Amino acid sequence: MGLLGVSSRLLSSLPRLGTICSCFQLLSPCSSTVISVVHFRALSNSNPNSKHIPDSHLELQQLLTQNKSGFKNLDNALSLFRKMLKMQPLPRDFHFCQLLTTLLKMKQYQVAFSLFREMCTLSIPVDIFTFSIAINCCCHSNRVDYAFSLLATTFKRGFVPDVVTYTTLIRGLLSQHKSQEARLFFANLIKFRQVQPNVVTFNTMIDGLCKTGHADMAFWLFTSMEKCDCEPNTVTYTTIIDSLCKRGLVDDALNLHSEMMEKGILPDVWSYSPIIQVLCSLKRWEEVGLLLDQMIHDMKISPDVRTFNILVDAYSKSGKLDDAKHIIQIMNERGENPDIVTYTSLMHGYCSQGQMDEALAMLNTIRSKKIMPTSYTYTILVNAYCRELKLDIAMDIYRNMASDGLSPTVVTHNILLHGLCQLGKSMEALTFFYKIQGLGHKPDIVTYQTLLGGLCKNHYVDKALSLFRTIECNGLIPESETYNIIIRGCLWSKKYDGACKLVDKMVDCGFSSDAATTSVLRHLLLSKAQDPTLVALYQKCLH
């Protein structure tokens, strides 16, 4: 079967990828074209066998080489493209490829594709490499349907796509969560022997399967690689190891890690980090130490900031603050500068242990090292001081967030509201709620539940009912817990009719009373057994 026939079967076997645009429409003339097609055909007919390289082409090559990692300004790249169009003779194909590749590195995918389309319109010669760049641009722009349309065009032009092109398409399908189509496309590549997948193709497929919840299929593909004459590499093993760790299969990950080393495939820092992380979460500290020793002394691999942060976070959460500080000391000795994640983890550890002075001092350390705190950093401190019922300090820290140019999150506000309610200052909490609303901060359902609970417990049930009625006005939907909180408030305040209406509404929404609400009803029935409203309410809740 000919190339076009096999390719047609390959493409037609895929599930439909949306509306595949017409290649003629895709390569239609750009409105910005100002130079005639005839002119370019004349230029492209210049003698290709001439050994003389024009000075303009030498200068162009030098400029493209200097900016191969990207132009500082997009306008400079576009200006160069316009200049190239006017050169006589026309620059070689690879010069245009170089420019498109540079735009790809700059992540200017739509711009690069637009220039490719203009090249086709102006009959500037394009080859399979140019098409591959355009296909890559389409995939990065989440237009994998365009990418497959271009693939069909390459076949019609007699080009033979290589493994890089097919790998790009697989990555494009996976990036758009089309894992089924990617699997079928990959299987057909092998079935029709369209191309021999290389290790990058397998790695792309395996990584995509792992990320889309098909870890078992990824492992099967991993074990099938050698049958396809393709040896797994460090990236392959690391991807599978990471997947096993995320599923909690740390012993399987350790075995695979050992197998990898026995085969002479050298691990890297990314091969160790997920195993270290899951061992830390399981508090298997001895194995953590052995793995670190193997990594640093046997394999001569230096942990990176991410690995160090895993350790600092794990030690801090386990109350091993001296070990966490020792890790930070090692980081500094090895030239790995601790970042905001490092210090925030240690701060969290201090807060968990009630060492508030040390936690607050850590904020000053962060500032002294010219590291910008995050909203999360401040929220940890606010939460810790609220737990200690030191609301004045918590509020001071909250106000200081603005000095670092940070905006509090809804979690920060919920913590402060909860703290105020815990101290019986529910009306102050309500005032604070309206104040932050006026500043443009949007509450979530937890915000309302916190306030409703505080108002009800402090006997401001009418205020709570009024607030409850505003929930849906703010685009939120009450949850089961929201209803139960306000129902309990009504019961405590002897608003039995109101509670009965709320129960009806709650049931209509598909929710039911929780154990706390039922317990309050039982307690009331014991003291007021003859109250028919309570009896009916209790039966409704049981039903």
Side-chain angles (χ1 to χ4, degrees), residues 375-391:
S375 296
Y376 178 64
T377 312
Y378 276 100
T379 300
I380 287 171
L381 281 171
V382 168
N383 185 45
Y385 277 107
C386 283
R387 279 205 319 266
E388 298 281 327
L389 300 181
K390 296 179 179 179
L391 263 295

Side-chain angles (χ1 to χ4, degrees), residues 24 41 58 82 129 134 174 211 222 263-264 334 351 413 449 459 465 476 490 494 516 524 543:
F24 294 105
R41 283 177 177 164
L58 291 173
R82 296 297 165 202
F129 301 108
L174 292 168
K211 287 178 178 175
F222 164 70
K263 289 188 174 182
R334 288 181 165 267
C351 290
H413 288 138
Q449 287 171 181
H459 310 294
L465 284 166
L476 299 171
C490 287
K494 301 180 182 179
L524 288 170
H543 177 71

Side-chain angles (χ1 to χ4, degrees), residues 349-378:
Y350 281 130
C351 290
S352 298
Q353 297 298 310
Q355 299 180 30
M356 301 310 303
D357 291 340
E358 289 83 351
L360 199 55
M362 187 56 61
L363 181 61
N364 295 326
T365 299
I366 291 169
R367 285 179 174 149
S368 68
K369 291 184 178 293
K370 309 297 182 187
I371 298 173
M372 178 58 67
T374 65
S375 296
Y376 178 64
T377 312
Y378 276 100

Side-chain angles (χ1 to χ4, degrees), residues 98-342:
Q98 276 184 291
L99 179 59
L100 294 179
T101 302
T102 300
L103 288 168
L104 200 64
K105 290 178 181 177
M106 294 170 67
K107 299 184 179 181
Q108 295 290 341
Y109 308 120
Q110 293 182 5
V111 174
F113 182 76
S114 178
L115 298 189
F116 163 78
R117 188 172 63 176
E118 188 168 349
M119 287 168 61
C120 293
T121 301
L122 298 171
S123 299
I124 296 173
V126 292
D127 56 16
I128 186 58
F129 301 108
T130 325
F131 268 99
S132 293
I133 293 169
I135 286 170
N136 204 345
C137 289
C138 291
C139 290
H140 277 293
S141 301
N142 294 325
R143 292 311 306 261
V144 73
D145 51 347
Y146 279 19
F148 273 92
S149 181
L150 284 174
L151 179 65
T153 306
T154 63
F155 294 136
K156 290 177 182 178
R157 291 197 178 197
F159 296 134
V160 181
D162 61 11
V163 68
V164 176
T165 309
Y166 287 118
T167 302
T168 301
L169 287 163
I170 290 170
R171 189 180 291 113
L173 288 168
L174 292 168
S175 69
Q176 289 190 244
H177 309 291
K178 297 179 183 294
S179 56
Q180 181 182 351
E181 289 91 335
R183 293 199 304 271
L184 184 57
F185 185 59
F186 179 80
N188 284 330
L189 285 177
I190 298 173
K191 178 181 178 181
F192 296 126
R193 298 182 180 178
Q194 192 76 5
V195 72
Q196 175 63 41
N198 61 17
V199 69
V200 178
T201 316
F202 274 100
N203 288 347
T204 301
M205 197 68 225
I206 289 169
D207 182 62
L209 289 169
C210 289
K211 287 178 178 175
T212 53
H214 299 92
D216 290 337
M217 191 174 294
F219 191 77
W220 174 83
L221 191 60
F222 164 70
T223 57
S224 303
M225 286 180 69
E226 291 183 0
K227 297 176 185 176
C228 296
D229 297 322
C230 187
E231 290 289 333
N233 62 9
T234 302
V235 175
T236 323
Y237 275 96
T238 299
T239 304
I240 296 294
I241 286 170
D242 183 63
S243 175
L244 290 169
C245 289
K246 284 176 179 173
R247 295 161 67 193
L249 304 172
V250 65
D251 292 321
D252 291 335
L254 283 166
N255 291 334
L256 193 61
H257 190 271
S258 299
E259 176 190 307
M260 171 186 182
M261 295 177 67
E262 287 169 6
K263 289 188 174 182
I265 300 171
L266 297 178
D268 58 15
V269 66
W270 295 96
S271 311
Y272 281 96
S273 294
I275 303 178
I276 289 171
Q277 185 168 24
V278 72
L279 286 173
C280 285
S281 68
L282 295 171
K283 295 182 172 51
R284 289 163 61 169
W285 303 115
E286 186 177 347
E287 288 170 274
V288 170
L290 290 172
L291 205 60
L292 278 171
D293 186 64
Q294 181 194 83
M295 176 182 177
I296 297 170
H297 297 112
D298 297 345
M299 303 306 299
K300 309 299 180 188
I301 298 171
S302 181
D304 60 6
V305 173
R306 177 177 176 269
T307 314
F308 279 121
N309 284 347
I310 288 170
L311 292 164
V312 172
D313 184 62
Y315 285 134
S316 297
K317 285 179 178 175
S318 298
K320 297 176 175 289
L321 299 180
D322 289 338
D323 290 328
K325 288 187 286 186
H326 181 61
I327 293 295
I328 293 176
Q329 182 183 339
I330 294 172
M331 288 180 75
N332 288 317
E333 290 170 357
R334 288 181 165 267
E336 292 286 354
N337 294 324
D339 59 13
I340 188 60
V341 177
T342 321

Side-chain angles (χ1 to χ4, degrees), residues 468 472 478 483 500-511:
F468 178 80
E472 292 183 354
Y483 279 105
C500 203
K501 290 176 183 177
L502 284 167
V503 168
D504 287 339
K505 190 174 180 181
M506 178 177 69
V507 171
D508 288 343
C509 292
F511 302 128

Side-chain angles (χ1 to χ4, degrees), residues 496 520-539:
Y496 303 141
V520 171
L521 272 168
R522 282 202 196 100
H523 178 75
L524 288 170
L525 281 170
L526 288 174
S527 57
K528 301 182 180 183
Q530 302 305 314
D531 193 312
T533 307
L534 279 176
V535 173
L537 193 56
Y538 184 67
Q539 288 174 345

